Amino acid sequence: MLAAACSPATSAPANPSVPSKPLKLASWNLEFLAERNGEGCNPRDDTDYAAMRRIADGLDADVIAFQEAENETAAARVFDPAKFVVIMEARKGSPDGTCGGKFPAQTVIRQAVGFAIRKDIAFDRHADVTSLMRGNEQLRSGIDITLRPEGRTPIRLLGIHLKSGCFSGSEAKACPIFQDQIPALEAWIDAAAAEPDRFAVLGDWNRRLALPGDMIWTEIDDGDPVNADLTLADAGQPPACNPRYDSFIDHIVLDRRAAADRTGFSETLYVPGEKHYSDHCPIAVTLRR
């Protein structure tokens, strides 16, 4: 049944304190989510969108960072407007060409990042982090908010989708562009680390940060300022979404303060034998407050 279209695989660090009202942050790359049926590099029908909405509802998340949505209307097909406020980066992008792969005749659509925020949670929206674009409309900006859940600690969130193709090392063709984005990302992290609110950076990093000695992780996890001592929420847990891959490229990265509140990490899997509605599975982290 589609109502049970996914199941969680969860690991939790040892923590004797069980939260009464945990805060749940999630991320999901929606793979070319289009406004209209049959469009984009993963053409879908009403049944697909309905299944994806059930998965989103089943996450039971307070906020979901999402990637690869065409626009707010497309996102609202997955994130129920009765439950979520959807915001997206202002960058228009400049999609061009055809898809190749399984759907070579399909036209590429805009890929944009955003947040779906539960309607009963207050938030502040900050300026988009356009420095991640490096002056290139094809690169995504970051979407920057502060979540202010009632009775719980505020948290600053940056949703990102970095350049694809430099998953490890530095030799791939895409690496110079990807690496050029990192100083802009680190600048945001360092600035947030100096502010009073805890923070997290979540989304599709397009990088296997958990690989031993990864140069990008080493660069950003430098503990300077002190709250830039970062935690990779998926550290020690391989992905189960696709047997081809043994390391996550979607990540939720927590600062020192947010990491102290972490109670668990999970990956939501599609039911074996059923369709994968995206080439990524949702991931999530829970915080005590």
Side-chain angles (χ1 to χ4, degrees):
M1 293 177 59
L2 286 175
C6 50
S7 58
T10 306
S11 70
N15 190 325
S17 175
V18 178
S20 57
K21 290 184 179 180
L23 183 71
K24 189 170 186 181
L25 315 176
S27 179
W28 191 11
N29 183 318
L30 302 170
E31 192 188 3
F32 282 105
L33 189 79
E35 176 181 346
R36 290 174 288 274
N37 287 5
E39 295 191 0
C41 297
N42 184 357
R44 298 175 172 93
D45 59 23
D46 288 338
T47 300
D48 297 325
Y49 287 100
M52 293 177 78
R53 178 174 284 197
R54 293 187 186 105
I55 292 170
D57 287 344
L59 294 175
D60 193 27
D62 294 288
V63 61
I64 305 165
F66 61 85
Q67 305 85 47
E68 294 197 24
E70 183 179 14
N71 51 37
E72 287 85 351
T73 303
R77 298 191 70 177
V78 172
F79 305 108
D80 186 352
K83 300 176 182 178
F84 295 101
V85 175
V86 167
I87 59 172
M88 294 185 67
E89 61 172 319
R91 176 192 66 96
K92 293 181 179 179
S94 53
D96 182 51
T98 53
C99 296
K102 293 187 294 183
F103 303 103
Q106 293 285 119
T107 301
V108 173
I109 61 171
R110 178 181 183 237
Q111 291 183 320
V113 301
F115 280 114
I117 305 159
R118 216 178 65 205
K119 291 186 78 170
D120 61 348
I121 296 181
F123 67 93
D124 302 326
R125 180 169 184 175
H126 309 293
D128 291 351
V129 183
T130 56
S131 55
L132 291 174
M133 294 169 58
R134 316 311 295 154
N136 180 353
E137 276 287 322
Q138 299 284 31
L139 298 177
R140 275 80 51 161
S141 61
I143 187 161
D144 184 357
I145 64 172
T146 297
L147 208 63
R148 302 190 182 280
E150 185 177 359
R152 291 177 281 181
T153 308
I155 186 167
R156 187 88 173 257
L157 301 176
L158 179 66
I160 63 170
H161 185 184
L162 299 181
K163 171 68 177 174
S164 182
C166 187
F167 303 109
S168 62
S170 60
E171 302 303 317
K173 182 179 178 180
C175 285
I177 298 173
F178 173 85
Q179 289 173 304
D180 191 41
Q181 293 181 293
I182 301 306
L185 178 58
E186 187 173 17
W188 186 94
I189 289 171
D190 289 349
E195 294 294 323
D197 292 332
R198 59 189 178 156
F199 70 85
V201 182
L202 58 172
D204 185 349
W205 291 64
N206 272 313
R207 184 75 180 186
R208 298 185 179 103
L209 295 175
L211 292 181
D214 179 70
M215 59 188 292
I216 301 302
W217 180 247
T218 300
E219 181 174 345
I220 63 173
D221 180 31
D222 58 9
D224 183 20
V226 64
N227 290 319
D229 178 10
L230 305 176
T231 292
L232 191 62
D234 58 89
Q237 179 171 324
C241 185
N242 187 325
R244 292 175 56 198
Y245 305 116
D246 60 4
S247 187
F248 283 100
I249 62 170
D250 301 291
H251 302 285
I252 300 175
V253 171
L254 305 171
D255 86 322
R256 183 179 63 90
R257 298 160 294 187
D261 291 327
R262 182 173 69 107
T263 60
F265 171 81
S266 62
E267 178 187 26
T268 296
L269 306 178
Y270 306 109
V271 172
E274 287 199 317
K275 179 177 182 177
H276 281 214
Y277 299 101
S278 167
D279 57 355
H280 295 244
C281 289
I283 60 170
V285 67
T286 50
L287 307 178
R288 285 187 297 108
R289 56 196 177 99

